[in-house]
Amino acid sequence: VLEEGDVAAGDQISLLQADEMQIPVTEITRLYLDRKSDPQAMRRLIQVKALPEDWREYFTELLENLSEDVGAVM
């Protein structure tokens, strides 16, 4: 949990908890820009607890659309 406050040069910052999914921002950006790139990665991404709900909804919708597109091709 983040708390509002001031941070100054030399202040110590420590990691209290890491998300077990460990998806880097670069991966999220790649998935956002290349919308059909990697459905498995999108499934992992929507499980990240720290991901804002609107992003989770966005990627869930993309996955649903990808599933529909695959079904239409078959």
Side-chain angles (χ1 to χ4, degrees):
V1 175
L2 295 176
E3 294 180 12
E4 186 175 337
D6 296 323
V7 179
D11 286 353
Q12 185 177 16
I13 298 174
S14 57
L15 178 63
L16 300 177
Q17 181 180 352
D19 194 299
E20 62 270 2
M21 300 306 283
Q22 297 185 3
I23 298 178
V25 172
T26 54
E27 179 74 357
I28 297 169
T29 303
R30 181 182 70 82
L31 293 169
Y32 180 78
L33 295 174
D34 185 8
R35 290 169 173 78
K36 295 185 179 190
S37 62
D38 192 344
Q40 286 183 331
M42 284 186 201
R43 285 186 198 93
R44 284 194 333 267
L45 177 60
I46 60 176
Q47 295 176 33
V48 174
K49 294 173 188 158
L51 190 71
E53 187 61 33
D54 57 338
W55 282 64
R56 189 173 289 108
E57 291 170 1
Y58 173 81
F59 283 106
T60 300
E61 187 174 318
L62 279 179
L63 275 171
E64 290 170 357
N65 290 338
L66 285 174
S67 296
E68 290 172 7
D69 290 347
V70 169
V73 171
M74 295 182 146

